[in-house]
Amino acid sequence: MKVLLTGNEAIAHGAYAAGVTVACGYPGTPSTEILESLAKYEDVDASWAPNEKVALEVGIGASLAGARALVTMKHVGLNVAADPLFTLAYTGVNGGIVVITADDPGMHSSQNEQDNRHYAKAAKIPMLEPSDSSEAAWLIEKAFTISERFDTPVLLRTTTRVNHSKSLVDASDERVQKEPSYEKDPQKYVMVPAHAQKRREVVESRMAALADYAEEFPGNRVEWGDRQIGFITSGISYQYVRETFPEASVLKIAMINPLPKRMITDFIDHVERAIVVEELDPYIEDQIRGWGLTVEGRNYIPGIGELNTEIIREALNEEEIEAPVEDVKTEEMPQRPPMLCPGCPHRGVFYTLSRMKLIVNGDIGCYTLGVMPPLNAMDSCICMGASIGNAEGMHKATGRKDIVAVIGDSTFVHSGITPLINTFYNQDPTTTIILDNRTTAMTGRQGHAGTGVKLQGENTKPLDFEQLTRAIGIESVQVIDPYELKEVRQALEEAIAQDEPSVIISQRPCLLVERSKNGPLMVTADNCIGCKVCLRLGCPSISWKDERAVIDTASCVGCGVCAQLCKSDAIVEYTQPDKGAGI
């Protein structure tokens, strides 16, 4: 039976069919839906971890015990998980283990653009890369087979376009049944130097064997056509090449590390010109050139952002490599800048931070939108968990006390606890604001250790942030309601006056998790004086019409923050249409 699945759904289905019993990860676009799809299978233990390193360590434990394990993360998450990954390449596996790294060319939802194919080469482990959902499901099964056959972890690299687009997948495969078995083997699994030195040689022998395997791997294939131009490509770039140059010869590579050297050499020998089309870095091209072969690619194909058929067509047309042009009509879509949702509990905090002109070190999450006008309330945002350390470093450099860090609840659990311990250890008087909205909002409302809900729906004991921060030793801890602007400002003034580390826990559920019970507000025409103070919140429910503010009652959740700013009492509970204000 064939079904239409996204790449993420296909990976989950393929992993289930391959017999995965333990799956762990941290939500990160574009990888998030893999675990959410896998969690629907009752005989799979699927869970969110506080961060990617812990997720991989859970997967390693399951693998050593003999189970097949899947670990998922986005590209920057692999930076966090790199430490155990590199050593796992030495120990090898017992049950197969596959790590998904979901790259984000074009940075649709990421703080940087990185090409994680380099990780496979650096860690000396095999990497597979699908071009669509069908191949993703197929490669997952192959990845587990390779993992156990060659005693190695396997990286499966996807990109946003593969993760989120749909194609038909054969869902008729029966689930592999595998009984876990474990034998104590400290020489293999305990990486003290004496053991690791011997395993280092095993890693090299394994890579040599994998290089031979790559030549016969069925995912690497040649599609012969016109031999004037031969394209070498992989991943989603294969789809773009096939669509742009349907008559050309193509060498499609599904095993990215190690590359099939003999197959590539033979292909180049049988075409007049060989051009590599790949997104981001010239990963394939550089290796081919390193073998002393003649190949083109980066001199035409841009290395920044996502490719598409139009980019490839235009890049190669300039070199007189003409592609057939299909007349496709496109429409210009209106621009919609990102902004915090109407009634977002973070808005009042950022408004107050902005008015107080504090230096704000931000973190990764939807609250990063506090940098957008009119709030303009953020000075830095580096990576997950960096805000607290950034604030501490700023204080050390300047001695200023008007420096704060803002961090979401999920990000605090991910990697915010250790830098908070460091501020306590060094007694740097920085203020940390934990924006606790009871969810991982940015990636789709996933649970975490602070929410009390597991991935597969069971309730658990939630982490108490107030008790945790007090247990670290921090004495100045306040829990506030971010909808109450006076309370927010008073807490901030008290916190930055401290000569020791302080924590403010701003606690309100995300409105996408728990809808407000309040009714919408409205602006009364008689009272509105047109001062525009309410517009400083940047709430998308408030607009400007006929020299007065107007509230969209359909999107307003009645949080009341704007009403607290209105000195003319023009913002009131919605009772009836006020024609003077345009409602």
Side-chain angles (χ1 to χ4, degrees), residues 165-373:
S165 59
K166 289 189 174 185
S167 63
L168 286 173
V169 175
D170 185 351
S172 58
D173 295 338
E174 292 186 7
R175 178 167 164 79
V176 172
Q177 299 296 329
K178 185 174 181 294
E179 285 298 321
S181 62
Y182 171 73
E183 292 185 9
K184 187 179 180 70
D185 190 353
Q187 283 74 28
K188 185 171 186 287
Y189 297 128
V190 181
M191 284 302 97
V192 295
H195 297 170
Q197 288 160 9
K198 294 179 180 176
R199 295 297 300 180
R200 177 73 180 85
E201 297 176 4
V202 172
V203 171
E204 287 303 314
S205 299
R206 174 203 299 152
M207 288 308 297
L210 281 163
D212 288 336
Y213 177 75
E215 305 290 348
E216 62 190 50
F217 181 62
N220 299 334
R221 65 176 186 268
V222 174
E223 299 170 0
W224 289 115
D226 185 342
R227 300 198 183 199
Q228 287 187 327
I229 302 291
F231 291 99
I232 302 172
T233 187
S234 69
I236 192 65
S237 300
Y238 163 78
Q239 303 289 1
Y240 299 146
V241 166
R242 281 274 60 141
E243 187 172 339
T244 311
F245 297 95
E247 304 300 325
S249 294
V250 176
L251 169 54
K252 182 193 180 307
I253 302 174
M255 187 170 217
I256 289 298
N257 191 57
L259 290 171
K261 182 179 179 180
R262 293 196 297 274
M263 179 182 285
I264 292 173
T265 303
D266 181 72
F267 181 78
I268 292 174
D269 286 343
H270 288 83
V271 295
E272 294 181 23
R273 294 177 67 183
I275 299 176
V276 179
V277 177
E278 54 188 329
E279 277 183 335
L280 302 183
D281 296 339
Y283 172 87
I284 297 173
E285 183 180 343
D286 283 352
Q287 290 192 59
I288 295 174
R289 290 180 183 277
W291 298 332
L293 302 174
T294 300
V295 70
E296 304 168 87
R298 184 45 38 91
N299 48 330
Y300 307 136
I301 308 298
I304 298 175
E306 278 192 305
L307 297 179
N308 58 42
T309 55
E310 194 59 32
I311 291 173
I312 294 170
R313 178 179 288 111
E314 289 183 2
L316 294 177
N317 277 351
E318 290 177 2
E319 300 302 318
E320 298 180 353
I321 303 172
E322 294 185 1
V325 178
E326 185 178 352
D327 184 20
V328 178
K329 294 183 179 178
T330 59
E331 296 183 3
E332 290 291 330
M333 300 297 291
Q335 295 293 312
R336 190 182 66 174
M339 61 181 67
L340 296 170
C341 299
C344 173
H346 305 328
R347 179 171 282 105
V349 174
F350 282 120
Y351 173 80
T352 307
L353 290 168
S354 180
R355 300 300 293 172
M356 293 178 69
K357 301 186 186 307
L358 299 179
I359 297 175
V360 181
N361 291 272
D363 223 296
I364 303 296
C366 55
Y367 51 90
T368 312
L369 296 172
V371 72
M372 302 296 288

